[in-house]
Amino acid sequence: MLAHEFRAHSQSGEDGLLHYVFGAIGTTDKKCVEIGVEDGRMCNTANLIINHGWKGLLIDCNREDVFEGRRYYGSLPGVGADQVSFAESFVTAEDVNKLIGTHGFSGPIDLLSIDIDGNDYWVWKAVSVVDPRVVIVEYNAVLGTELSVAVRYRPDALNDKYPTRHNWGASLRAYARLAESKGYRLVACTSSGVNALFVKSDLAGPSLPAIAVEEAYYPCEYYPQTEEGLPPFDLDQFEVV
């Protein structure tokens, strides 16, 4: 999948991977929900909304970022007022469905993206108000490929409240197991070692084969390994899932 990576508005190669995936399975309503977008200029759904006419719900907990996001998208030619909605909210597993549903998104959609540097695993596990065909989530590459763990759930937890910067999110194996329980298959990870893509198993044909965690995994380019191995994390902050 590396040959398909490119970046228009995404952090790294996610735009290209999503272009390839939807080229293989097609689109339906071109609706997307992304949780954790900052101001929405550089996120996984921006290219789809700005350049391909998708309708999106973009969620972030930072008031200034949401204000800037609304201003930015409102200034773009060709992006309709009803095409993108911003929601300012700190997302928890308990309220994610109400939040999404209140903004008019429910049932089948094409894409869900989650990047909140904390309870990502638990939020995806809780999502039921929408049924995305493709899901992209940020995995914690520091946790390697063998562990199937997620950070212990705390509804009030922000990333900067964890004892170290590496005690957040979940391992790629944990996401792969959650995905399988929800009817998805792992099809790719970005070469930057940040995001993993999952596609509904009944939609993914031969062009999108399921791949093993060990084959899909990349170490995160932002957390380089040393001679001692991966950066340290506190396993007591995680639970097996």
Side-chain angles (χ1 to χ4, degrees):
M1 293 281 279
L2 293 187
H4 303 289
E5 287 191 336
F6 69 76
R7 175 177 178 260
H9 290 274
S10 58
Q11 183 177 4
S12 52
E14 294 86 356
D15 287 332
L17 294 182
L18 289 170
H19 179 78
Y20 178 80
V21 165
F22 284 108
I25 68 171
T27 58
T28 55
D29 57 10
K30 292 188 176 182
K31 288 185 178 180
C32 53
V33 174
E34 184 160 8
I35 305 172
V37 298
E38 296 184 342
D39 64 8
R41 293 172 184 253
M42 186 177 71
C43 61
N44 295 324
T45 56
N47 180 53
L48 300 172
I49 295 169
I50 295 169
N51 296 318
H52 299 279
W54 285 45
K55 182 175 182 179
L57 170 61
L58 307 184
I59 304 169
D60 200 89
C61 66
N62 185 287
R63 176 165 296 182
E64 292 182 0
D65 282 338
V66 170
F67 176 83
E68 284 300 316
R70 287 172 176 153
R71 185 193 64 79
Y72 171 69
Y73 278 86
S75 70
L76 293 175
V79 178
D82 62 343
Q83 195 175 326
V84 58
S85 299
F86 270 85
E88 178 197 333
S89 179
F90 181 79
V91 179
T92 67
E94 291 82 7
D95 68 10
V96 62
N97 290 303
K98 181 179 180 181
L99 176 63
I100 294 172
T102 298
H103 285 82
F105 285 73
S106 63
I109 63 172
D110 275 323
L111 176 64
L112 170 67
S113 177
I114 304 174
D115 177 4
I116 53 177
D117 295 341
N119 290 319
D120 309 53
Y121 175 93
W122 304 108
V123 168
W124 183 21
K125 184 177 181 180
V127 168
S128 60
V129 68
V130 289
D131 183 23
R133 300 167 76 234
V134 177
V135 176
I136 181 167
V137 293
E138 183 176 9
Y139 67 96
N140 186 344
V142 170
L143 300 171
T145 60
E146 295 183 6
L147 295 173
S148 179
V149 295
V151 72
R152 296 186 186 279
Y153 182 67
R154 303 203 320 269
D156 62 342
L158 289 169
N159 187 37
D160 61 4
K161 292 184 179 178
Y162 293 122
T164 79
R165 67 182 300 186
H166 304 306
N167 295 326
W168 59 271
S171 65
L172 181 59
R173 186 168 299 280
Y175 281 121
R177 288 184 174 179
L178 176 61
E180 184 177 6
S181 73
K182 284 177 166 276
Y184 295 84
R185 66 172 62 168
L186 172 63
V187 298
C189 289
T190 55
S191 60
S192 60
V194 174
N195 281 311
L197 277 79
F198 301 89
V199 178
K200 283 276 192 178
S201 296
D202 59 353
L203 299 175
S207 60
L208 293 171
I211 55 177
V213 167
E214 295 82 0
E215 180 184 356
Y217 171 90
Y218 287 93
C220 182
E221 63 183 20
Y222 307 112
Y223 306 142
Q225 287 188 239
T226 66
E227 292 182 358
E228 290 75 30
L230 291 166
F233 58 89
D234 183 1
L235 194 55
D236 288 339
Q237 300 293 322
F238 296 85
E239 64 178 89
V240 176
V241 291

